[in-house]
Amino acid sequence: MVRVSEPGTGLTSVSSGHGLGFFKSSHNLIEKGLEYIGRTYEPFALQVGPETLYIVTAPKDVAEVFKKADVLGWDGHLNQIFLNFGMNPKSLEQAWLKPNQVNARYLQVNPQQLSLIRLVERIYAQQLLPGAHMDEIRASFGIALQAAFRSHNLEISRIKPVNGSRIFSLRTLCQYTLLEAGIYSFFGASVMQMDKNIIPNLLAFTENAWMLFYGLPSSLASAVLNPQNRVLKTFQRFADLPEVLRRDQSWSIQQVLVAQECVGMDLRSKACMLAMILWAANSNVNNASFWVLARILFDEQLREAVKREVDVAWQSESLDVKFLCANSPVLDGTFHECLRLSAGAMMGRKVLKTTRIGDKVLKAGGTVLIPSRQLHSNANVWGSDLHQFSETRFTRNGTLARHSSYRPFGGGVSLCPGRKLAREQVFTIVAILIHRFNVRMSQDKKQEFPRLNVSTPALGVTGPAKDMDIHVELFHSEKSA
């Protein structure tokens, strides 16, 4: 590792070798960079092969990056994500253009005549931000999630499927129930009907999606490419269905499919966009739910406090999740603290024009990276106990959830529109398991609290290490009988 001063920028620059090596050990390299500058949290540069990466970790600098959307661009990264998902480059290029001619049907879904990309962003935000469309997706998700706790998902999650065992994998239970509910709430029943393996294929894709995002050659990326191709084939079949067979799809999916058809998008690119919508909506909810439930199950006092909050939100055995979200400070504090400790994604921006962040110069052509793990472990913000879990951290200081050093959902133009729905979804699975079931840690083995998976780069909320899980005993409570 070579450290130099970058002339004319005021930046310390660290050479870190080739790209793949950086992304496999990015956390350690960034930590070494912070140590080298004395943890002042000022911006510094990493030279990764031919590319200059500007690492920004100070809260005020992070806020400034997100404000400078005109010179620190997001669209290049978004474009690359679509390509990574397999979109046809020509279709993608067309999707960025505003329409020259608009027929009556397209005008209904796109009255402002936006480019397809901007239109899909707007549709997605309307579906997921508070309003009538979010109410619809919340209701359908809640119904689907309760239905997902059926025998087939419990059998898949069962650790010892003999002699009536009631010991289950918490990790698998979260994955299968939440993903099934996500598919039903967005796409209706047809996706699950046409592909019985859609959930394991999506899970395999999600586990290895980092290979696409960090540009592994196809010869090294079969673990992601094979399930990706299977998933895309399913969504191609879905997109090709007559609309009458997709009547139970969500409003947003219906609108996106109409828009895609109006611009003449090819079938595979349609499927890529649909798969990306599902991946973005569900990829973090599984891991966030796992961590929240893990904390609750490992702490009996916390479990009882959350149960008191949850039980009040069930009226006539119907869950009022909006009430729960507004009246559960213990669960809310647990949720935010779990995100702080597990979010591991890097937020990126392309430097379109030479600019300053603080007193440092960022040159055009470089890339700004904002590592959430470093934001969430800044002792100046989080205190000396930053590595310890505290469910009261966010309730003791109500401003922390809005602090610029707390970015589990990104920021600026790429702030996740699904952040409120994701919180409701996590609260919903907690409420179902705590209220409708008697759930407790299994005594079949000695269990330690799971460690984060640091073996691969994180794209959002980091999951547990591959060899770690939580075994739980699960029984229907009398209330759900």
Side-chain angles (χ1 to χ4, degrees), residues 342-407:
S342 61
M346 292 197 193
M347 297 158 274
R349 295 292 188 271
K350 196 69 178 178
V351 185
L352 305 176
K353 182 180 178 182
T354 297
T355 189
R356 285 183 177 271
I357 294 296
D359 62 351
K360 308 300 183 186
V361 176
L362 279 55
K363 293 183 177 180
T367 297
V368 175
L369 289 181
I370 302 171
S372 55
R373 190 163 292 168
Q374 276 68 34
L375 298 188
H376 296 170
S377 59
N378 184 334
N380 298 329
V381 177
W382 305 105
S384 59
D385 65 341
L386 63 94
H387 295 300
Q388 299 173 9
F389 172 82
S390 172
E391 72 274 15
T392 63
R393 188 186 306 277
F394 284 84
T395 52
R396 282 184 278 121
N397 184 345
T399 67
L400 286 176
R402 302 183 301 277
H403 199 283
S404 189
S405 202
Y406 180 62
R407 299 283 185 175

Side-chain angles (χ1 to χ4, degrees), residues 105 127 133 136-137 140 182-191 235 238-258 260 274:
R105 193 177 189 210
Q127 181 78 80
H133 295 306
E136 294 166 3
I137 205 85
S140 61
I183 292 170
Y184 272 113
S185 59
F186 274 91
F187 297 94
S190 53
V191 168
F235 280 101
F238 173 82
D240 208 29
L241 286 174
E243 191 164 349
V244 68
L245 298 180
R246 294 186 274 105
R247 284 180 175 172
D248 55 351
Q249 67 191 346
S250 67
W251 171 84
S252 58
I253 298 303
Q254 187 271 339
Q255 295 282 290
V256 168
L257 282 167
V258 169
Q260 290 175 330
L274 295 176

Side-chain angles (χ1 to χ4, degrees), residues 186-203:
F186 274 91
F187 297 94
S190 53
V191 168
M192 296 283 291
Q193 290 171 351
M194 65 177 59
D195 184 0
K196 302 301 183 184
N197 293 314
I198 186 64
I199 290 180
N201 286 334
L202 281 165
L203 290 173

Side-chain angles (χ1 to χ4, degrees), residues 146-160:
Q146 292 194 55
F149 280 89
R150 295 185 295 250
S151 59
H152 70 279
N153 283 332
L154 293 179
E155 283 306 311
I156 291 169
S157 308
R158 194 185 294 268
I159 297 295
K160 299 175 181 177

Side-chain angles (χ1 to χ4, degrees), residues 244-394:
V244 68
L245 298 180
R246 294 186 274 105
R247 284 180 175 172
D248 55 351
Q249 67 191 346
S250 67
W251 171 84
S252 58
I253 298 303
Q254 187 271 339
Q255 295 282 290
V256 168
L257 282 167
V258 169
Q260 290 175 330
E261 187 67 26
C262 288
V263 301
M265 179 172 280
D266 67 280
L267 189 58
R268 181 178 172 86
S269 293
K270 288 181 184 179
C272 289
M273 190 171 280
L274 295 176
M276 182 174 166
I277 289 172
L278 180 63
W279 177 81
N282 287 275
S283 59
N284 289 318
V285 173
N286 296 345
N287 286 334
S289 298
F290 174 86
W291 292 120
V292 171
L293 285 163
R295 291 295 178 182
I296 292 170
L297 292 170
F298 264 79
D299 186 331
E300 185 62 28
Q301 287 186 328
L302 177 59
R303 181 183 180 279
E304 290 304 314
V306 169
K307 182 170 172 52
R308 286 192 292 271
E309 294 179 339
V310 162
D311 285 346
V312 177
W314 286 88
Q315 299 294 328
S316 302
E317 288 311 297
S318 178
L319 174 65
D320 186 341
V321 71
K322 290 179 71 175
F323 176 89
L324 179 63
C325 288
N327 296 279
S328 53
V330 178
L331 179 54
D332 196 50
T334 302
F335 170 75
H336 286 297
E337 182 73 339
C338 285
L339 289 187
R340 183 185 73 84
L341 290 170
S342 61
M346 292 197 193
M347 297 158 274
R349 295 292 188 271
K350 196 69 178 178
V351 185
L352 305 176
K353 182 180 178 182
T354 297
T355 189
R356 285 183 177 271
I357 294 296
D359 62 351
K360 308 300 183 186
V361 176
L362 279 55
K363 293 183 177 180
T367 297
V368 175
L369 289 181
I370 302 171
S372 55
R373 190 163 292 168
Q374 276 68 34
L375 298 188
H376 296 170
S377 59
N378 184 334
N380 298 329
V381 177
W382 305 105
S384 59
D385 65 341
L386 63 94
H387 295 300
Q388 299 173 9
F389 172 82
S390 172
E391 72 274 15
T392 63
R393 188 186 306 277
F394 284 84

